[in-house]
Amino acid sequence: MTDRILTAAPLTAEAFHSFGDVIDTQRAPDKIINQGMCDRYTDLAKLDFSDGRAGISLFDAKARHLPYTVDLLERHPDGSQAFIPITPTRFLVIVAPDAGGMPGAAQAFFTAPGQCVNLHRGVWHGVLAPFEAPGLFAVIDRIGSGANLEEHPLDRPYIVTAAPD
Amino acid sequence: MTDRILTAAPLTAEAFHSFGDVIDTQRAPDKIINQGMCDRYTDLAKLDFSDGRAGISLFDAKARHLPYTVDLLERHPDGSQAFIPITPTRFLVIVAPDAGGMPGAAQAFFTAPGQCVNLHRGVWHGVLAPFEAPGLFAVIDRIGSGANLEEHPLDRPYIVTAAPD
């Protein structure tokens, strides 16, 4: 079986809407605080946990390069998962709709500098993939009991061959 | 009344223990994931909310410089508040113990590159203070009703005059 080619698209809230939230400042701040010294953009992600609670973890991930092979997708049935880059790292976000308990046709996105994402609960996705440089990320996800993980190896891997500038 | 001089100390988990959590990789990872490509440091902050829920917001804050005047401390009685720098910004963290409903003697800390902090619920602190450059931060705090804010103007301001390299 042949590989499937993906081209990464710029990450925008509209394009990513069915998979999760794009956390960025591409909107008006809702409040100016600290005597005018700080713009606040409040509550930009849908944190959604079946049980347990929200926690903050760190993921220190090695770089990925093109062509980038995606041979596994996974999902977390019990909670959303947000990725906040602490290092100035752009990253690839591979996601797929559910198709009867399996991932459907995948899409690839590429973050702009400073963009964060929150994957909605249960969304199929690839692993954290910092692009061309290693990256340290804060991850806001569910802390609780149980595996909260389904993995789906792909018979036909996807190959991401291009990303926006 | 005279000003009070503060020298910022390096931010360490030990020194910050009574005020909050230092979120960094100065420890062993608890899990290696993604086929060896990612070190995971799990659940590094005590998220603590009286009610409401955790949310992710963005704070885009202007730079502060030395000497830095602190004439107000505040606290959030209903929830913890974590600051995750998205830009490569170091920041000053001013905190004080409670002394009968008012802030006691303040201390100043200065983050290393990539360090994040989580202020415990109800801890007196200064406003977000990115050092020498503006900074974009993800903030994990309580989303809920009520002001969740006490402000305490200082009759005798603190002046932060020095920070570590």
Side-chain angles (χ1 to χ4, degrees), chain A residues 37-53:
Chain A
M37 294 292 278
C38 184
D39 293 353
R40 178 170 178 140
Y41 305 77
T42 301
D43 198 19
L44 302 181
K46 185 184 179 192
L47 302 188
D48 175 18
F49 309 110
S50 63
D51 61 357
R53 60 179 173 79

